[in-house]
Amino acid sequence: LQKEVSALSTKFSTNIAEDATEIEVDSLEQLAGVPEPIVKQLTTRQKSEGGGDVIVEVAETRKRMARAFENRAHPQNLAILQDIIQKRHQIAVLLGFPSYSHLDLDSKMAKRPETARAFIDDLIPALQKKWAQELASLKENLHSSVILTADGSIPSYDIAFCMNYAKKTRLNVSETTIQEYFPLTSTVAALFDIYESFFAIRFEKLENAADLCLFPRDGKFTHACCHSVIPPIRQSHDGSYSPALSVVIANFPKGTADTPALFLHDDVETFFHEFGHAIHGLMGRSRMPTMAGTRVKRDFVELPSQMLEEWLWDSKILQRVTKHYKTGEALPKELIAAKIASQNAFSGRDSLRQLVFATYALELFGPSASSTVDTSQVFYDIQDRILPGIQFSRDTHFECAFGHLTGYAATYYGYMWSEVFAQDVFEYIRQRDGLLSSTLGKRYRDMILGCGGGKDPSDMLEAFLERKPNANAFFKKIGI
């Protein structure tokens, strides 16, 4: 059964990577609002990679792009997902568990799906209250192309566009303007410099080694991730460590003949996040390969990468890593201030969206799992319950391209669970002015990263923080 699930999971991921969904537009008018450099990157038959619906000012184009993106790998992955659900349930029952969720969480920090559900359900009311405020604010500042439904809801394909429009018009944050200060080459070099300063390490480029592969190509994994290929193993005979290897995979916007590849701020966060996994994969040393690198409890593994995202919301760090691709100037202080002020602008919606995914994963692999479950309807019902005020379509099948269902399975809640600890650790470092402190970085490296999976996460955190971890910094970060 495990081999069958593995084969099905590989096919599921392959179908996502090889999806060739396209949309066509008849004229440039249908791409109104899209900056010229992005338009120049489009071919006559441009694959939808998602994201364009954030800036295009034509509602019908946004709708078509959203539908295309949310129907990737459909219908072929529907039957595969149902087979995975059924076989995982069979494995759990054979091992004496009532569901795969129970089996999957048995070795995690949460221990039981009931604990994970309680964690999620406790967050929802406060986040829905914040989302209600955000939604009211969006409705006060609608672009003329956005039409509310009869009951006053915003169509789901308009939400990202509305949030971006609000940031630009009310918060004075233009993501495309900020993007000009993040050319790939200088940004990557600056980020490496920060890692060297904080972790007290040095990067050296190997001659004849493969360069970074950061751009989309046909058949490539479509998201961003990090794979620990060779874990850092301590040799028993002399205490030395074998060389480790981590691989970062990403799909960032390509450059053109006129402009270099430029990161969005969100792209820089993603790179920082995935490289955080890479550092963990190199530093988590253990005598046991199964406990080395990122081989820690699944609901803890995101902490090192999530924490490092916060560096990109510090004014001094932003001045240090930005460099306009034409003038070489750093991001102006007023833009930095506006960007930082916007961090929690829509944290209610963003957090609830994560809880939708977390709840969905727990539900699919729960006690009621079966090969006949309507995976799309389950998703529709959860969206409606957790994220009110949005009209979600009933002709999409997001789960067919939800790659985390094969790897993370029932433990997607771990993103939010580990975020609680990530914010606690970050605040500890920030309060000590330690974002570039090699002293604090080495302490963090040795006491948390360097343990691999050899210690209980709660014990590592308490030792590093010199107290029991709490959620205060997390609630402050998301504004509730």
Side-chain angles (χ1 to χ4, degrees):
L1 283 170
Q2 291 281 27
K3 289 182 179 179
E4 290 174 4
V5 169
S6 179
L8 287 167
S9 297
T10 298
K11 183 60 177 174
F12 189 89
S13 299
T14 300
N15 286 342
I16 298 172
E18 294 182 350
D19 180 83
T21 300
E22 298 174 335
I23 68 165
E24 296 180 20
V25 295
D26 299 326
S27 66
L28 291 177
E29 285 73 20
Q30 291 176 295
L31 295 175
V34 180
E36 185 178 351
I38 296 179
V39 173
K40 287 183 177 179
Q41 294 181 39
L42 302 178
T43 63
T44 55
R45 292 177 59 83
Q46 175 65 33
K47 181 191 292 187
S48 172
E49 297 290 351
D53 53 339
V54 173
I55 52 180
V56 66
E57 296 177 352
V58 181
E60 183 60 27
T61 305
R62 293 196 298 271
K63 181 178 180 179
R64 293 178 59 208
M65 292 181 71
R67 294 291 186 275
F69 187 75
E70 293 174 10
N71 276 313
R72 290 170 300 148
H74 176 266
Q76 58 268 40
N77 271 356
L78 271 182
I80 294 174
L81 177 58
Q82 289 173 336
D83 282 348
I84 290 173
I85 293 169
Q86 182 184 33
K87 293 181 186 300
R88 281 179 166 167
H89 187 70
Q90 291 175 350
I91 291 170
V93 172
L94 285 172
L95 294 174
F97 291 88
S99 75
Y100 189 76
S101 286
H102 287 83
L103 169 60
D104 203 14
L105 271 67
D106 186 61
S107 60
K108 309 303 186 292
M109 292 182 74
K111 299 296 184 184
R112 295 173 55 81
E114 291 83 2
T115 304
R117 283 183 177 275
F119 169 74
I120 292 169
D121 291 343
D122 286 347
L123 286 173
I124 288 175
L127 287 170
Q128 285 183 333
K129 182 178 180 180
K130 186 171 190 304
W131 164 234
Q133 296 168 350
E134 296 166 3
L135 186 61
S137 177
L138 288 179
K139 291 180 181 180
E140 292 174 357
N141 189 46
L142 288 177
H143 186 271
S144 59
S145 66
V146 178
I147 306 299
L148 298 180
T149 64
D151 66 354
S153 297
I154 297 178
S156 59
Y157 55 82
D158 281 337
I159 288 293
F161 173 77
C162 287
M163 293 192 301
N164 186 68
Y165 182 69
K167 288 179 181 179
K168 187 175 180 178
T169 58
R170 288 196 295 108
L171 302 175
N172 297 316
V173 174
S174 170
E175 298 295 350
T176 52
T177 298
I178 293 174
Q179 186 178 17
E180 296 179 0
Y181 291 85
F182 285 116
L184 184 144
T185 302
S186 63
T187 301
V188 170
L191 296 184
F192 280 178
D193 181 59
I194 289 172
Y195 276 106
E196 288 183 330
S197 298
F198 181 68
F199 288 108
I201 57 177
R202 185 176 73 254
F203 293 102
E204 293 182 359
K205 183 175 181 179
L206 299 178
E207 294 299 324
N208 301 317
D211 288 329
L212 291 171
C213 181
L214 302 178
F215 306 116
R217 65 174 183 275
D218 290 341
K220 181 182 175 182
F221 179 75
T222 57
H223 197 45
C225 65
C226 175
H227 290 289
S228 179
V229 181
I230 303 175
I233 304 169
R234 181 187 301 158
Q235 306 299 315
S236 58
H237 64 283
D238 62 0
S240 62
Y241 298 93
S242 63
L245 174 64
S246 292
V247 176
V248 173
I249 300 171
N251 291 275
F252 297 128
K254 295 181 180 180
T256 68
D258 302 320
T259 60
L262 300 172
F263 282 133
L264 290 165
H265 181 267
D266 184 61
D267 296 329
V268 186
E269 273 193 290
T270 297
F271 187 82
F272 229 64
H273 177 107
E274 299 304 340
F275 213 82
H277 283 309
I279 294 293
H280 195 185
L282 299 177
M283 297 295 179
R285 295 163 176 172
S286 171
R287 290 175 62 183
M288 299 179 64
T290 55
M291 306 292 280
T294 57
R295 291 163 175 81
V296 300
K297 293 182 185 295
R298 178 74 80 172
D299 46 9
F300 181 76
V301 72
E302 295 296 333
L303 180 150
S305 47
Q306 288 173 327
M307 185 196 74
L308 287 165
E309 292 179 30
E310 297 303 313
W311 265 246
L312 275 304
W313 293 94
D314 178 83
S315 58
K316 292 180 181 178
I317 297 295
L318 283 173
Q319 282 191 306
R320 179 168 176 151
V321 303
T322 52
K323 183 179 181 180
H324 195 278
Y325 79 97
K326 288 182 177 179
T327 67
E329 296 177 351
L331 190 63
K333 291 183 179 180
E334 59 272 18
L335 280 179
I336 290 176
K339 180 62 180 175
I340 292 174
S342 74
Q343 184 177 16
N344 290 334
F346 299 105
S347 59
R349 180 266 183 183
D350 294 342
S351 298
L352 287 172
R353 185 168 179 266
Q354 288 298 304
L355 296 184
V356 167
F357 300 151
T359 302
Y360 183 65
L362 286 167
E363 182 71 21
L364 280 193
F365 298 110
S368 60
S370 72
S371 60
T372 59
V373 64
D374 187 336
T375 55
S376 298
Q377 188 61 51
V378 172
F379 192 68
Y380 300 154
D381 292 344
I382 291 172
Q383 283 188 127
D384 289 342
R385 175 170 62 85
I386 295 180
L387 265 173
I390 302 175
Q391 183 190 57
F392 293 101
S393 63
R394 292 294 189 266
D395 60 353
T396 57
H397 305 274
F398 175 83
E399 73 273 19
C400 288
F402 190 8
H404 287 81
L405 291 176
T406 58
Y408 274 61
T411 61
Y412 192 91
Y413 75 91
Y415 276 97
M416 192 68 81
W417 181 280
S418 58
E419 176 82 2
V420 172
F421 305 119
Q423 293 303 323
D424 205 5
V425 173
F426 173 74
E427 188 66 12
Y428 178 93
I429 294 170
R430 188 193 66 79
Q431 287 179 347
R432 289 157 179 78
D433 197 24
L435 299 190
L436 296 174
S437 167
S438 59
T439 301
L440 266 177
K442 186 176 185 301
R443 184 169 182 269
Y444 168 77
R445 188 185 75 191
D446 294 343
M447 297 181 72
I448 294 184
L449 298 186
C451 298
K455 289 185 178 180
D456 185 272
S458 297
D459 294 337
M460 288 190 288
L461 288 166
E462 187 170 347
F464 179 79
L465 296 169
E466 302 173 291
R467 57 167 172 76
K468 290 185 179 298
N470 61 59
N472 295 341
F474 171 74
F475 290 132
K476 178 182 176 182
K477 192 254 183 177
I478 62 177
I480 62 175

